Amino acid sequence: MKFTLFPPNVPADQVLALGKAADACGWDSMALPDCVFHPEKVTGEYPYSEDGLRHWKPDMPFVDPYTAIPAIAAVTERLSFFSAVLKAVLRQPLLLAKALGTAEAMFPGRIALGVGTSWMLEEFKWLNEDMPSRGARLDEIMEIVRRCLSPGWAEFHGKYYDFDRLIMSPVPERAIPIYVGGHAKPALRRAATLGDGWIAAFGDPDELRTVIPQMREMRGDSVMAGKPFEVITCAMDWPDTDHVRRLEDLGVTGIALQPFAADTPTIEAKCEAVVRFAEEVVHRC
């Protein structure tokens, strides 16, 4: 089991300290969420709350994942990083590939990409992107990233993105893992058949017990058959070692969580919680 520090909403000036604490005490990785902006009025319901409302304040800080990740990597030694999840359909795929390739070339073996589709109409409207096609476009974006970050010439002629032969340099020495988030059927199929793993928003054992075997079956009939498949679940509570083992038995390979309360007042207290979780759970597992 791998453990990921996942601090969704912390001030920008605390991100480096949290990464250094996690790196020093044995966490495996760090994940950062993505939110470009908060509209004052939102069209649509947030899919991961019972009332459909956002559970954070409009001024809650969200650092840009692939601006922050290289900065944290520069002050740590072994921690790996991914986004959980990047709204890739709001980005131009060639620019996204360039940022990823640069980060991985600078910090080999430490960069991954977590992708998903946004639920918020305003993000698509104000960033001049099409919302109805977001699933199909994400499929193409994943392919474009892989092609552009492979050695040699790359070209792509899809329904939504089109470009002739090009070379993007630097090219990483390894393929950057791409994890897919989401619980809707298209997202699960995308993760199973196109991704290197699935990021589950919640670690409900009953859901995981059903979904993971289904995804592995879908994977066996896809171009990704035989390739490793990660299952990373976000934990809402502090799991004990028995709970970790139960998740592991279900096929979960990673747990992402924030080991301190959202209202923890100081960065010192937050770092203390990061160390304490490593001592009580990470090391014992």
Side-chain angles (χ1 to χ4, degrees):
M1 184 68 73
K2 295 180 181 179
F3 294 91
T4 298
L5 177 62
F6 182 38
N9 315 117
V10 297
D13 60 0
Q14 296 183 359
V15 173
L16 297 186
L18 287 172
K20 291 169 69 175
D23 187 60
C25 68
W27 291 69
D28 297 285
S29 54
M30 185 173 182
L32 295 176
D34 179 36
C35 185
V36 181
F37 53 74
H38 299 285
E40 182 178 5
K41 297 181 180 179
V42 177
T43 303
E45 295 185 349
Y46 180 62
Y48 299 116
S49 66
E50 293 183 359
D51 58 9
L53 300 177
R54 295 172 292 182
H55 52 73
W56 60 88
K57 297 179 180 179
D59 60 350
M60 188 72 75
F62 282 80
V63 298
D64 179 79
Y66 290 98
T67 299
I69 283 173
I72 310 169
V75 298
T76 55
E77 295 182 0
R78 46 163 212 87
L79 210 63
S80 61
F81 305 91
F82 60 94
S83 47
V85 290
L86 188 79
K87 299 172 183 178
V89 290
L90 303 178
R91 270 82 171 179
Q92 209 289 331
L94 289 175
L95 295 177
L96 173 58
K98 183 65 177 181
L100 289 168
T102 299
E104 172 65 16
M106 293 176 67
F107 306 102
R110 299 175 64 190
I111 306 298
L113 171 65
V115 297
T117 58
S118 175
W119 57 279
M120 195 188 305
L121 174 62
E122 285 75 14
E123 287 184 314
F124 292 91
K125 182 178 180 180
W126 298 344
L127 291 169
N128 295 316
E129 297 290 352
D130 182 64
M131 187 173 188
S133 66
R134 63 193 187 278
R137 289 194 295 112
L138 182 54
D139 292 347
E140 291 194 5
I141 290 170
M142 293 170 65
E143 179 63 23
I144 288 170
V145 168
R146 287 191 171 116
R147 289 192 188 186
C148 289
L149 298 184
S150 299
W153 295 98
E155 63 182 297
F156 188 84
H157 305 286
K159 181 177 180 180
Y160 302 99
Y161 303 102
D162 185 272
F163 56 86
D164 293 328
R165 282 159 57 85
L166 58 81
I167 286 181
M168 190 169 286
S169 183
V171 172
E173 295 184 359
R174 57 146 202 170
I176 294 177
I178 302 178
Y179 309 131
V180 178
H183 289 246
K185 289 183 179 179
L188 297 176
R189 179 169 294 278
R190 180 174 300 113
T193 61
L194 299 178
D196 297 289
W198 174 46
I199 300 175
F202 304 107
D204 178 24
D206 291 334
E207 179 186 16
L208 296 172
R209 188 176 293 107
T210 301
V211 170
I212 292 176
Q214 293 175 347
M215 297 179 73
R216 296 197 183 280
E217 183 177 354
M218 286 188 286
R219 191 172 186 80
D221 297 327
S222 74
V223 295
M224 301 298 287
K227 296 183 179 180
F229 186 68
E230 302 289 332
V231 177
I232 304 164
T233 182
C234 298
M236 304 305 294
D237 299 311
W238 187 309
D240 58 25
T241 54
D242 289 339
H243 183 68
V244 171
R245 295 305 184 199
R246 287 194 294 272
L247 291 177
E248 201 168 39
D249 290 341
L250 294 175
V252 174
T253 60
I255 298 176
L257 78 154
Q258 176 176 287
F260 48 84
D263 59 354
T264 301
T266 66
I267 183 58
E268 291 79 13
K270 292 173 183 176
C271 289
E272 287 174 3
V274 169
V275 173
R276 189 169 71 254
F277 182 84
E279 294 172 347
E280 295 183 10
V281 181
V282 176
H283 298 168
R284 295 181 183 181
C285 291

